[in-house]
Amino acid sequence: QVQLVESGGGSVQASGSLTLSCALSGWTSTTYSMAWFRQAPGHGREAVAATDNGGRRMYAEFAKGRFTISKDNAQNILYLRMNSLKPEDTAMYYCAAAEAAYLIFSAMYYPHWGQGTQVTVSP
């Protein structure tokens, strides 16, 4: 059974940094796409960043230059390093995984999700 467990969220002041982690277990496929999404109250879930087994990466416009997605293949942990955080980055952040031979940036194609970790950025 595939499980994803996020951690690393918290409260930080604007311009601060956080690193989110997502521990993946039960994964047996060698091909994958993994991503971070976020959802703020009253808003839909939006993609933040994605990576795949080929090392390709994709970022939302708001994340470019500030956020970095990476994966430790030995530990099977997905990371999201977030710098220069803004109050509008406040949201619940989720990691997701899919068995795929290509990079996926749409939530609808991810069958496996973590429970989320809250990020709150104060002015």
Side-chain angles (χ1 to χ4, degrees):
Q1 182 178 357
V2 176
Q3 286 190 318
L4 296 90
V5 180
E6 300 98 333
S7 61
S11 297
V12 65
Q13 288 189 321
S15 77
S17 299
L18 281 174
T19 298
L20 306 183
S21 301
C22 174
L24 175 67
S25 61
W27 191 261
T28 58
S29 177
T30 57
T31 59
Y32 62 82
S33 179
M34 293 189 70
W36 288 96
F37 291 82
R38 70 183 189 183
Q39 187 166 15
H43 292 78
R45 191 166 296 190
E46 63 179 348
V48 177
T51 187
D52 67 5
N53 57 284
R56 291 177 287 259
R57 300 176 184 178
M58 182 178 292
Y59 295 93
E61 281 300 319
F62 64 80
K64 291 179 180 177
R66 298 191 300 132
F67 296 180
T68 302
I69 189 170
S70 62
K71 187 174 182 288
D72 182 332
N73 291 319
Q75 300 290 329
N76 240 358
I77 299 175
L78 182 72
Y79 296 100
L80 183 69
R81 173 67 177 178
M82 304 185 294
N83 295 324
S84 303
L85 282 163
K86 305 174 182 179
E88 51 264 44
D89 294 318
T90 295
M92 184 72 79
Y93 284 71
Y94 301 88
C95 67
E99 181 179 351
Y102 48 89
L103 196 59
I104 300 173
F105 213 61
S106 174
M108 65 184 293
Y109 296 109
Y110 281 97
H112 306 291
W113 292 83
Q115 81 290 348
T117 186
Q118 178 68 38
V119 172
T120 302
V121 184
S122 58

